[in-house]
Amino acid sequence: MRDGLRFGLLGPPVVYGADGEVRTIGGGKVRALLVALLLEPGRVVSVEALKDALWGGAPPASAQASLQNHVTRLRRLLGDDGPERLRAVPPGYLLRVDEGELDVRVFEEHLIAARAAHAARDWEGALREASDALALWRGTPLSGLPHETGAHALVQRLQEARLLVLEWRYDAELQLGGARFGSFVPELAALVAEHPLREGFHRLLMLALHRTGRPAEALAVHRDLRARLIEELGVEPGAAVREAHLEILREGQAASGNGTGADGPQAEDAYADHHPATDHHPATDRTKAPRPAQLPSAPAHFTGREAVREDLLRFLAAERDAPGIAVVSGMAGVGKSALALHVAHGLRERFPDGQLYVNLHGATPGMAPLTPEQALAALLRDLGAESHRIPEHADAAASLLRSLLAPTRTLMVLDDAAHAAQVRPLLPGGPGCAVIVTSRSPLTALDGAHRVPLAPLSDEDSAALLRAVSGRDGLHAGHPLVELAGRLPLALRIVAARLAARGALTPDMLAGQLAATEGRLHHLEYDDLSVRRSLAVAHEALRASDREADRDAARALARIGALDLPGYGASLLAHLLGADERRAEAALDRLVDVALLEETAYGRYAPHDLVRDFAHETVASEQGVEPERSGAEVALRWYAAMATRALDALVEPGTERTDRLRATPSQPRTHTTDVASVPAFGSAEAAADWIVLELENMVALVERHADTSAHVPLLVRMIASPLQRRGRVAESEALVRAALRGARGLADAPAEAYALLDMAGVQFLKGRGNDALALLDEALEIWRRLGDLSCLCRGLNNRGLLLGVLGRYEESGEALRQCLEYTRVLNDPMQEAITYSNLGNLYEHTDPRGAIGHHRRSLEIGERIGHVIVRHSAHCNMGFAHLALGEPDAAVPHFEESLRILGGHGHWQGESQTRLGLVRALRERGDAGRAAHECDVLLCLAARRGDRYPEGLARHQRGLLRRAEGDAEEARRQWEAALSALEGTDSPVAAELRELLARG
């Protein structure tokens, strides 16, 4: 312990300082926060779980800020080490708790040692460890905390463990003997009164009374216990109590010298004389009742899940001081019950006292979930209790269940649980038992459970299941049926059953039926199996609920079905629902809880493919849900507003940003208000991350609605430049192509010109200079017609650059000189700097030394206006000019400085060009090792972006490096790959590659 802190939960929560003084925790929220973190010591507790602990599932709108304030207060309470001890670790917070600092952990260590000593009949060791464990208790664990803290099961388990330790302690005292044992009689009498059905305390009291010379009282304790068990539970005392009873009788007979003691032989025969069938109080003799073996048959054709199955077997078979509880969770039809039963059958020998099975019907079509009282009654009957002897109150029934299971090794399967509250009363307390719970929810409120989330099967396992059930050997992992069934075991079994039932139905024919529009769920029904019905149970429960979050969740699923995007976050869903983000987050969380959504990353959600189909069906049943086009327009308005905020954060002040923000004729009138209603990004990095996160959704919406929404050209204009800078060429092309179609459909000339300019940029990045030039000339013609000098100037600059790359130097110079005149008329230093840069690139072919002068002028302007990209480009271009002069040593520092200036600015086009120049310069100056390393970095970055053009250029350089090393075969392989990547481009490197390959 580095700072001497200690934490106590075995009583009211408390924190002790290094000198043992109690530190004042403060308000109830800080106390609840501390407890929530201590319940998961050394593990990350999510922000959502902490909010639930502090506000009981109904956090206020200010919950996030309040939570941070409470964390700050708790850190102060923890002392100087607070910030390091309590750290923010996504998606929540982690409290470091060192060995020996938490009383619950210390108690559990002593408990394990006491149990081992008791089993080994090491009575002194058992007494010592049990006494040390009990000394840690200060009262009821976690007393003074509200119920929403979620620690009910932990408290219950700790209290049960304390009773076991008490039994071991008194047993050790009894075995060690001595006069002091008589003083424990009042304590045992009090425990018997407090726990009138706990046989262990009765046995100890009987023996204590007997060994201190009070046999009549000992036998009276036995008579009272036996009468109570028969009257209330319909069962006889267990073997340990019977053995203690017989010991008292035998020693009493030996002391009197005859066979007629106080209870005499008649008492010794008491158990044999009791006849349940004819007694006035009918009872079931537990010793004669068959051990429960209730598991349904193991699932036929169980397939896959090897790692999960082994994990469950290891966990449930391990020795521990509390019952092992495993929660198998996942969406409808994912195979939770099949896995649970498969594992349970494999554990039967490990649990010789029986296996109990209860279907809780948490999500059974047409059936209400069992109440805890109903489930308790069923389990108690299965263990031999007669119905009219089962306590009516759930707490009493749960206590009886724990008492019956405590001395046993019993496995319990609780199938299809609805929620944690349904499961808690059914859990055993004895360490010899284990429980497998299946539920669509992970039941995170169930303390101490081992969670096993199930995903759909792999392609290979899906195909194996199809083959096994259908008997069709030709089905392989790539067959369309695997994907169409969503790799979901229920759907796969239905598909396989249909194939098995109809020999004339081929897999390809069935795949065609499933692929038909609106037809998939219809074909995923067979006999009593139905994917649709399984999903509908959860949806109907949400719709019928009194809770706002549940009803919001039902509406959210319908909007997800109407819009059908790849993923969803709370911000987008809030706009679709017309609610605040808190309600949207709660709705998403509920959909995850009932397995209608998956959280694919923190704060990001997506439905399984079959849930998508079901969600689409729910649109018609949900009132107030807009059709797809209306929902898409809401989404596009939000995306356009957020994209405008992103442009503000990502593009430096100047004419490009001003021109792109300028309204075009088709721009919706609501856009300015929409932008004002969304928050600005705090940094360029945050804006770039948002674009990447939402890009897939934006592509989907833009491609679908380019012909119907004026927001499409607007949205694309805002993000095209940042996307191209980051090398997202494929997405940029899809977006810009749709924007160009939309702008032309709207007859919006300025929007069309911008789309043409952006498409030219895409083609340039792909190495197709001639295509880029043709598109750019179309844009220039529109700007000339509109008299837009600013856009015309920028377009001419790009034209000069393109013509230079294509080797048309005279035309390039003409365009750039005209552009330079415009920059002076416009007083636009940024465009002036870019023009000097492009002039330098042009001069590089005829006067490299003069080119460096132009680049220096560009650098001076860039430094004056503080423009990162201009400064980076100037150094990069000077590096290439030095390469043209045959001066690689002078080129390297410029490339290095260019990369340093660029840093994390996210300008992929500039970065890839600079890295390529650095590879060339290092190779030409003979630094082959570093050149190879930099080449590998460039290839890795290009592959990450799927950008084939810089990949081809880099492989060309790698081949030259390998040839210099004497590896002609590898050089040829690199050049062949490079040529493949550059196929269809205008790059002069492609011609060089053909020559290199032709030489052999």
Side-chain angles (χ1 to χ4, degrees), residues 121-197:
R121 305 180 71 79
D122 174 9
W123 303 119
E124 289 186 356
L127 177 60
R128 181 179 60 254
E129 295 294 342
S131 297
D132 288 345
L134 294 168
L136 295 165
W137 282 66
R138 296 172 289 106
T140 303
L142 302 175
S143 57
L145 285 175
H147 181 73
E148 56 261 24
T149 307
H152 174 76
L154 173 65
V155 172
Q156 196 174 55
R157 178 170 65 81
L158 288 171
Q159 290 176 323
E160 179 67 25
R162 177 177 175 272
L163 295 178
L164 284 172
V165 174
L166 276 169
E167 288 186 24
W168 296 335
R169 174 195 166 195
Y170 287 123
D171 206 11
E173 292 276 11
L174 181 67
Q175 298 298 332
L176 291 170
R180 63 178 177 170
F181 193 76
S183 64
F184 292 131
V185 169
E187 297 175 22
L188 285 167
L191 286 169
V192 163
E194 185 180 354
H195 304 281
L197 298 177

Side-chain angles (χ1 to χ4, degrees), residues 901-969:
I901 292 170
L902 194 58
H905 205 71
H907 194 301
W908 168 241
Q909 179 186 350
E911 182 182 357
S912 61
Q913 188 178 16
T914 305
R915 289 191 180 279
L916 184 68
L918 180 59
V919 171
R920 272 188 59 191
L922 291 168
R923 178 179 62 79
E924 290 179 17
R925 80 174 187 183
D927 193 346
R930 191 178 163 205
H933 169 73
E934 293 293 342
C935 192
D936 288 344
V937 170
L938 176 55
L939 280 167
C940 179
L941 292 171
R944 192 181 299 167
R945 290 166 172 79
D947 195 344
R948 298 278 284 162
Y949 186 60
E951 178 195 343
L953 299 177
R955 290 195 182 279
H956 168 231
Q957 293 296 318
R958 180 184 267 180
L960 294 173
L961 285 165
R962 290 304 175 90
R963 183 179 65 177
E965 294 170 359
D967 191 345
E969 185 177 346

Side-chain angles (χ1 to χ4, degrees), residues 764 797-810 812-813 816 832-858 869-870 872-884 895 909-910 913-914:
F764 176 72
N797 226 331
N798 290 345
R799 190 172 196 273
L801 173 65
L802 271 172
L803 289 166
V805 170
L806 293 170
R808 295 161 62 175
Y809 303 131
E810 186 175 341
S812 173
L816 291 173
E832 183 182 4
I834 294 172
T835 307
Y836 277 121
S837 177
N838 289 337
L839 280 168
N841 292 335
L842 176 63
Y843 273 71
E844 187 183 307
H845 301 283
T846 56
D847 181 8
R849 197 71 65 189
I852 293 173
H854 284 299
H855 293 316
R856 289 198 184 282
R857 291 189 70 178
S858 178
I869 303 302
V870 169
H872 137 76
S873 298
H875 278 289
C876 175
N877 290 332
M878 281 190 273
F880 278 107
H882 280 294
L883 284 178
F895 289 126
Q909 179 186 350
Q913 188 178 16
T914 305

Side-chain angles (χ1 to χ4, degrees), residues 646 649-650 681 683-694 722 726 905-906:
L650 289 166
F681 288 101
S683 65
E685 291 77 15
D689 290 345
W690 178 84
I691 289 178
V692 171
L693 183 67
E694 300 290 348
R726 282 157 180 76
H905 205 71

Side-chain angles (χ1 to χ4, degrees), residues 46-65:
S46 73
V47 167
E48 294 309 311
L50 292 174
K51 288 180 183 177
D52 284 344
L54 269 62
W55 290 284
S62 60
Q64 187 71 35

Side-chain angles (χ1 to χ4, degrees), residues 610-626:
L610 295 179
V611 178
R612 285 185 187 277
D613 289 358
F614 175 76
H616 189 69
E617 291 183 358
T618 68
V619 175
S621 65
E622 200 66 43
Q623 291 183 349
V625 176
E626 305 87 352

